[in-house]
Amino acid sequence: MRLEMSSNRQQRLCVAMMRNVGGVIVLSLLLVFVQLAAGESFSPPGTPKNIICRSPEKETFTCWWEPGSDGGLPTTYALYYRKENSDTVYECPDYKTAGKNSCFFNKNDTSIWVTYNITVVATNALGRAFSDPVEIDVVYIVMPNPPEEVTVTVIEDTNWPFLRVSWEPPEKADTRSGWITLIYELRIKLENEDEWEVHPAGQQKVFNIFSLRPDSTYHVQVRCKPDHGFWSEWSGTTFVKVPDYFPRERSMWILIAVFAAFIILTFTFIWLSYMKIHNLKHYVLPPVPGPKIKGFDKKALKNGKFEDIFSSLVVSDFPPTTSNYEDFIVENLEVFVPEEQELIMEDSKDLQDDSIKSENSTCDNDSGRGSCDSHTLLIDKGGGDKEEALQSDQEGSQDERVPTSPEEVMEEDLLACCDEKNSPDISEKVKFTPSLISPLPRYNLMNQPNPPEIGKKHCLSDSLLNPDSLPSYFTQPPSTKNDFRSNPWECNFNHKQHPLHPQTTGKEHLQVQNEISWVHVDRTEASLGVQAPSVRSTEYVEVQRVSGGNMVLLHPVSAGQENSGTMSHQTEHYSRVKTVNNDSGLLLLQKESTGEEMGICLSEEEVESRATSNGYTASITPTSEKPMVGINSTLPILDDRMASGYVDTATMFGLPTY
Amino acid sequence: ALFYVLSVSQWGLWILLFWPQHLTLSSPLDCRDDQGSLSRCTSISQEKLLDRVIHHAELIYRVSEELCSLFEELFIPFPFRLQSNQAAYACITKALPIPSSKSEIEQISDKWLLHSVLMLVQSWIEPLTYMQNSMERYDHAPDMVLNKTKWVSEKLFSLEQGVVVLIKKMLDETTLVTVYSDQNTVQNDVQPDVLESVMRDYTLLGCFKKDAHKMETFLKLLKCRQTDKYNCA
């Protein structure tokens, strides 16, 4: 019985064991099948990829990697690095600080002097995987943190507000000591836009943004970068709202006003200038004055023929050539032709001063004074008012002595000498006949010392019969006897006159007298200058014949003529033409005896008075009286004339005037 | 034992893996500095290294100058202030065989220039550390002073490393890097008079400033010699 029961149990156990084994096998098979069915395989891990190392401040750095497949098994990662040229392999000291799949190198482990060779290894149960190594130079992997404390403010000082953005470098970056040098960049956009406007900012930490749209919101961001390295991330967005403003209106109106004013002014100016365009034109561009030269032909100028033009301008006479100076100086013979006058007096154009006058007081070739001759030819009535007569004739206050005849002239001289002293007494006596012999101008006996002197000289020389004074003259007279007569009356001051004498022997006396008279006149003339309009051309007049009726025929004397009749004139009639002497053919005006004598006396006196300087003494009388004696009176007419002071011999005597 | 076998095999594999890469990487590649490019030179070029070292020295000098003036303003009363040309004799580095005159400097070789710089740098690491510690014991030392001192100390250490690398590159020599020692801490146990310590620190800072300038000058001269050998002064 008991056997039967145990065998049943053994059989039941075996079956159970077999079932368990089978179950296990089935389970294992199932497991295997399940595993096979799932497709997973345990494999070594995949290689890590993309190792990135960055340093925020060049003092530490961190590396990150991407893990590959892990092969289904738990995989661990390890980072190993070697330093430059060294075979020592180091493992990452810090896997945790920087997060998962990272390695952090602290300051002690970071060196800027060497490069790092970094490899990441993935390990699982089945194998390892090595990543590609990465060469690291810490300096070149610097990527700073973004700038901090970015502030944006709206500056509204002016009518045009703008944004001012300011920031600070990241804290870790040591820019203060110069360990890192950062440059910045900012970007801005309107709130509803997508495009950013990027502005580089260099190393500065402030930036201004203009041209804002009013009443809108802006977004601003900043980032930075070291010299060699990477740009940081953009900072957090800063929002700023620009207020609404209307600045344009005011300034724009101002601009418009200024513009309008400017345009108005311009137009006004143009209009004004247009109205007076000619004036303006002339004002701005004055017309070029044309040449105003006599004889200048503008058209010829335009034609361009310069030689013709300039030749027309050339005055051939100028400059004067050298040979004709004498002509200029002296030879201007003044021919005085009064209405009835035959006598022509010659005046010199010389305007000399007193010195010259003294020289030329007597007639000479240089002076060319017709006055020398003309005076003597003038009929001179006795009387005192020689001066008056002269004055009446002349303009101004100057006395004009009008010699009427040669004799007269002498007389005149004497009378002049005398008269001047006793002018009121003998005023009646002397009459001047300016017509006969043109009076030389300005014959001022009174006013001028020189003429009186010369006249005095005349008187003196004449009266004195001073051979010394008339040496030449004395020599000459032998040829012409008459000269001698004239000597006492002559003041031959100027030897120049000699040439005159040979010319006309016949009229020497006349000439002499003329000379003498003209001496006076010359002097005066010289002293006074050639001024008078009353200067009339004078010519030598010679008494041609004397008619019985106390007429003197005068004819103009020309050079070379001789008047024999005159030869004998001389001695007698120097003082005055009073009578007509048949011999002499001269009309001698008779002075009043008293006048004569007085004249003589006066002349004496005058001479004395004037000769004080010269030392002449009056010894005139005998000689002077002589002619006077012979003088007859046929004076009434003449007296009348003399009274008038200006006797026209021609009219008186009806002489033909040549 | 098994563990060691495993680790050794691991390292062997590691080396085997790296070996060909090392070989491949040893060939000079294009040194590119552009961003995003991960391929770099195997090593930093000598020129770049020298530039960086110089830049480093410049910064150290600048900061030391600031630190010195700041310290002087804060802690040193007027009568005690040193002139720039004084107290050179008190510097700790006067014993070093470092060229000091211009003529000496002109005659010295590049090698000795570098070694001089290294000597200078190495001789200052410890004092600076000490100074840093002593400053921290001041009652009211401002943070700026402390930070600067710390900064300078760190940078100096970094400079040392750079000079070492530079020497290795230029002269192909290997020198030892200073190892921090804890000897200074012993000195800190002594509590000197405050004024004395301040004066000492002040003197130290002055000396350090001068030496920092020397370092910078040497390095710049070295650089000048690299480019234009006969025109450097």
Side-chain angles (χ1 to χ4, degrees):
Chain A
M1 253 97 47
R2 284 206 196 142
L3 282 175
E4 292 175 357
M5 289 177 62
S6 60
S7 63
N8 290 335
R9 286 200 194 119
Q10 284 181 352
Q11 285 181 347
R12 284 191 208 119
L13 282 171
C14 287
V15 170
M17 282 183 64
M18 286 200 47
R19 283 187 187 155
N20 288 337
V21 171
V24 166
I25 291 169
V26 166
L27 279 174
S28 63
L29 284 173
L30 276 174
L31 277 172
V32 170
F33 283 131
V34 163
Q35 280 183 356
L36 286 174
E40 282 188 6
S41 61
F42 295 125
S43 63
T47 58
K49 293 175 286 205
N50 293 338
I51 300 171
I52 298 172
C53 298
R54 290 287 181 266
S55 168
E57 76 286 86
K58 209 159 69 171
E59 292 168 13
T60 67
F61 70 100
T62 311
C63 287
W64 295 271
W65 64 85
E66 263 183 42
S69 66
D70 61 351
L73 298 169
T75 311
T76 59
Y77 294 94
L79 189 145
Y80 299 97
Y81 67 92
R82 277 189 318 115
K83 286 197 177 178
E84 171 185 323
N85 295 333
S86 150
D87 295 334
T88 313
V89 180
Y90 304 94
E91 191 174 348
C92 170
D94 189 343
Y95 287 104
K96 301 213 185 310
T97 308
K100 197 163 168 38
N101 296 329
S102 70
C103 178
F104 175 74
F105 294 83
N106 60 10
K107 273 189 189 176
N108 293 333
D109 298 327
T110 307
S111 171
I112 58 170
W113 315 113
V114 289
T115 57
Y116 290 80
N117 192 323
I118 292 170
T119 313
V120 177
V121 178
T123 310
N124 66 2
L126 293 178
R128 296 168 179 264
F130 292 89
S131 65
D132 293 333
V134 170
E135 199 68 42
I136 298 290
D137 188 354
V138 178
V139 171
Y140 293 121
I141 59 164
V142 179
M143 180 169 140
N145 292 332
E148 298 170 1
E149 294 180 35
V150 179
T151 58
V152 184
T153 53
V154 182
I155 309 294
E156 283 186 80
D157 291 343
T158 63
N159 288 332
W160 305 86
F162 60 94
L163 293 179
R164 172 161 289 167
V165 187
S166 67
W167 58 88
E168 290 299 318
E171 192 179 334
K172 286 189 185 173
D174 187 6
T175 54
R176 207 199 54 74
S177 70
W179 185 245
I180 301 178
T181 309
L182 294 175
I183 58 174
Y184 302 94
E185 195 177 78
L186 68 84
R187 65 179 186 182
I188 186 168
K189 77 175 175 79
L190 280 168
E191 193 167 26
N192 41 5
E193 282 182 4
D194 294 333
E195 295 272 333
W196 287 93
E197 188 180 324
V198 178
H199 298 279
Q203 291 186 24
Q204 64 201 45
K205 300 184 185 63
V206 181
F207 197 82
N208 296 328
I209 297 176
F210 302 93
S211 304
L212 302 174
R213 191 179 300 179
D215 196 21
S216 57
T217 305
Y218 284 94
H219 294 192
V220 180
Q221 289 181 340
V222 190
R223 68 175 182 176
C224 56
K225 180 179 101 73
D227 303 345
H228 313 281
F230 303 97
W231 280 106
S232 70
E233 295 289 339
W234 287 105
S235 65
T237 305
T238 307
F239 303 95
V240 61
K241 181 149 176 9
V242 178
D244 205 2
Y245 59 90
F246 294 101
R248 308 170 145 224
E249 301 274 335
R250 201 192 311 169
S251 56
M252 225 163 73
W253 284 122
I254 290 169
L255 273 174
I256 288 168
V258 168
F259 249 121
F262 180 70
I263 289 166
I264 288 166
L265 280 172
T266 308
F267 276 120
T268 308
F269 179 71
I270 290 169
W271 177 74
L272 280 174
S273 62
Y274 179 74
M275 296 307 286
K276 290 194 272 183
I277 193 159
H278 289 292
N279 297 346
L280 193 67
K281 203 169 151 188
H282 284 293
Y283 183 73
V284 174
L285 301 171
V288 177
K292 289 178 187 171
I293 304 170
K294 255 190 191 174
F296 197 81
D297 191 0
K298 283 189 200 176
K299 289 181 183 171
L301 184 67
K302 284 179 189 171
N303 293 338
K305 293 186 182 171
F306 298 106
E307 296 80 12
D308 298 339
I309 297 157
F310 293 135
S311 66
S312 67
L313 295 173
V314 172
V315 177
S316 59
D317 292 337
F318 191 85
T321 53
T322 57
S323 63
N324 297 331
Y325 282 120
E326 290 182 356
D327 296 339
F328 286 120
I329 293 171
V330 170
E331 304 306 324
N332 303 329
L333 300 178
E334 173 185 349
V335 178
F336 168 60
V337 182
E339 306 162 6
E340 305 87 357
Q341 281 265 347
E342 292 180 288
L343 298 176
I344 299 171
M345 298 178 68
E346 293 182 350
D347 295 339
S348 80
K349 282 189 183 174
D350 252 350
L351 309 177
Q352 288 84 14
D353 53 2
D354 295 346
S355 60
I356 299 172
K357 272 185 295 179
S358 62
E359 286 179 0
N360 297 333
S361 57
T362 56
C363 299
D364 55 349
N365 288 332
D366 293 341
S367 64
R369 298 201 177 149
S371 60
C372 295
D373 298 334
S374 60
H375 280 299
T376 56
L377 291 173
L378 279 175
I379 296 172
D380 182 278
K381 288 218 171 174
D385 300 66
K386 284 187 186 176
E387 297 79 11
E388 289 176 8
L390 284 173
Q391 286 174 353
S392 63
D393 290 336
Q394 297 258 333
E395 304 171 354
S397 60
Q398 290 166 342
D399 294 339
E400 181 180 13
R401 181 183 172 111
V402 181
T404 56
S405 66
E407 300 86 357
E408 239 182 71
V409 171
M410 297 307 296
E411 258 187 332
E412 279 178 6
D413 293 340
L414 289 173
L415 287 172
C417 298
C418 301
D419 287 344
E420 289 176 17
K421 204 171 181 187
N422 297 323
S423 55
D425 296 336
I426 52 177
S427 61
E428 311 156 4
K429 299 175 189 175
V430 179
K431 294 288 182 184
F432 298 116
T433 58
S435 61
L436 251 176
I437 298 174
S438 68
L440 288 178
R442 308 331 142 75
Y443 184 63
N444 190 352
L445 293 173
M446 296 289 283
N447 297 338
Q448 293 180 357
N450 283 338
E453 256 186 65
I454 296 173
K456 172 183 66 178
K457 279 183 188 172
H458 276 293
C459 299
L460 284 171
S461 61
D462 295 340
S463 61
L464 287 175
L465 292 173
N466 191 353
D468 294 338
S469 65
L470 305 169
S472 59
Y473 220 86
F474 280 111
T475 56
Q476 282 189 356
S479 62
T480 63
K481 313 182 270 285
N482 300 328
D483 293 340
F484 183 82
R485 284 171 298 167
S486 65
N487 288 337
W489 301 100
E490 289 178 357
C491 300
N492 188 11
F493 302 104
N494 195 342
H495 293 280
K496 292 181 202 171
Q497 296 175 2
H498 292 294
L500 288 177
H501 298 292
Q503 291 177 1
T504 60
T505 56
K507 55 184 177 180
E508 276 179 5
H509 61 285
L510 281 173
Q511 287 178 350
V512 168
Q513 288 150 4
N514 290 340
E515 290 169 0
I516 292 164
S517 67
W518 281 346
V519 169
H520 282 281
V521 180
D522 284 344
R523 285 185 294 98
T524 56
E525 192 181 348
S527 64
L528 299 170
V530 181
Q531 307 153 7
S534 59
V535 174
R536 291 171 285 181
S537 61
T538 60
E539 19 177 35
Y540 286 81
V541 180
E542 178 179 11
V543 176
Q544 202 169 21
R545 62 185 172 90
V546 177
S547 64
N550 291 336
M551 292 184 66
V552 176
L553 189 67
L554 298 173
H555 65 89
V557 174
S558 60
Q561 283 186 356
E562 287 187 358
N563 193 348
S564 58
T566 60
M567 302 287 262
S568 59
H569 305 160
Q570 295 172 353
T571 55
E572 296 175 14
H573 46 267
Y574 286 178
S575 60
R576 185 185 296 186
V577 177
K578 273 191 184 176
T579 59
V580 177
N581 192 347
N582 290 330
D583 293 339
S584 64
L586 292 172
L587 180 64
L588 292 174
L589 287 174
Q590 181 180 7
K591 287 193 248 182
E592 289 181 1
S593 62
T594 58
E596 290 180 359
E597 293 174 357
M598 289 208 54
I600 293 165
C601 296
L602 286 171
S603 67
E604 278 185 15
E605 292 170 3
E606 257 191 19
V607 170
E608 283 179 357
S609 66
R610 288 171 191 166
T612 51
S613 62
N614 294 331
Y616 286 103
T617 58
S619 59
I620 307 167
T621 52
T623 57
S624 60
E625 284 177 0
K626 237 186 175 179
M628 304 292 270
V629 173
I631 294 168
N632 293 327
S633 64
T634 54
L635 297 180
I637 303 171
L638 294 175
D639 285 336
D640 292 339
R641 294 302 179 112
M642 282 191 283
S644 71
Y646 194 87
V647 179
D648 191 352
T649 53
T651 56
M652 280 168 56
F653 299 104
L655 292 174
T657 60
Y658 286 32
Chain B
L2 271 176
F3 178 74
Y4 277 121
V5 170
L6 278 174
S7 64
V8 166
S9 62
Q10 257 189 347
W11 282 115
L13 279 173
W14 202 249
I15 287 163
L16 280 173
L17 281 171
F18 277 175
W19 196 255
Q21 287 169 1
H22 179 68
L23 285 173
T24 57
L25 288 172
S26 64
S27 62
L29 295 176
D30 292 339
C31 296
R32 286 180 294 164
D33 300 335
D34 31 343
Q35 311 173 17
S37 168
L38 296 178
S39 64
R40 302 268 187 245
C41 299
T42 306
S43 61
I44 301 171
S45 71
Q46 187 176 313
E47 288 173 8
K48 274 187 208 165
L49 193 61
L50 187 54
D51 286 341
R52 289 182 199 178
V53 170
I54 288 170
H55 182 235
H56 214 107
E58 280 175 359
L59 290 178
I60 287 170
Y61 172 64
R62 197 193 305 171
V63 173
S64 70
E65 203 174 23
E66 290 171 8
L67 181 61
C68 198
S69 60
L70 192 64
F71 193 89
E72 190 178 71
E73 273 180 42
L74 290 173
F75 300 117
I76 309 297
F78 270 109
F80 295 99
R81 294 196 178 170
L82 300 173
Q83 299 304 316
S84 61
N85 51 358
Q86 292 174 358
Y89 60 91
C91 286
I92 56 176
T93 55
K94 65 184 171 135
L96 295 176
I98 294 168
S100 53
S101 67
K102 191 171 178 183
S103 58
E104 284 183 45
I105 291 166
E106 280 174 4
Q107 291 167 13
I108 198 171
S109 66
D110 293 353
K111 178 179 172 180
W112 275 111
L113 266 181
L114 273 176
H115 278 283
S116 304
V117 172
L118 186 62
M119 269 194 280
L120 277 172
V121 173
Q122 284 176 338
S123 65
W124 272 107
I125 290 177
E126 292 184 15
L128 277 180
T129 312
Y130 166 76
M131 189 159 48
Q132 190 179 341
N133 294 334
S134 101
M135 278 194 195
E136 284 170 359
R137 280 185 277 110
Y138 291 172
D139 289 338
H140 299 286
D143 285 341
M144 200 190 301
V145 174
L146 294 173
N147 290 342
K148 278 191 198 288
T149 311
K150 192 172 170 197
W151 190 93
V152 168
S153 175
E154 288 173 1
K155 289 297 182 263
L156 194 66
F157 186 68
S158 169
L159 181 63
E160 190 204 4
Q161 292 177 348
V163 175
V164 166
V165 173
L166 189 61
I167 287 173
K168 190 157 191 298
K169 259 198 197 345
M170 288 179 75
L171 307 177
D172 208 16
E173 298 171 2
T174 311
T175 54
L176 296 173
V177 179
T178 309
V179 177
Y180 282 124
S181 66
D182 295 334
Q183 294 171 0
N184 292 333
T185 56
V186 175
Q187 291 180 9
N188 294 336
D189 294 339
V190 178
Q191 295 282 343
D193 183 28
V194 175
L195 185 62
E196 276 184 25
S197 85
V198 165
M199 287 309 295
R200 193 173 51 231
D201 289 344
Y202 176 60
T203 313
L204 266 180
L205 276 176
C207 290
F208 175 68
K209 187 176 81 173
K210 289 199 192 81
D211 287 344
H213 187 63
K214 263 192 207 161
M215 292 176 216
E216 181 190 341
T217 309
F218 288 174
L219 290 167
K220 282 186 176 170
L221 177 63
L222 191 65
K223 178 171 176 62
C224 180
R225 285 192 191 180
Q226 298 296 311
T227 54
D228 188 0
K229 194 153 180 75
Y230 301 106
N231 207 15
C232 294

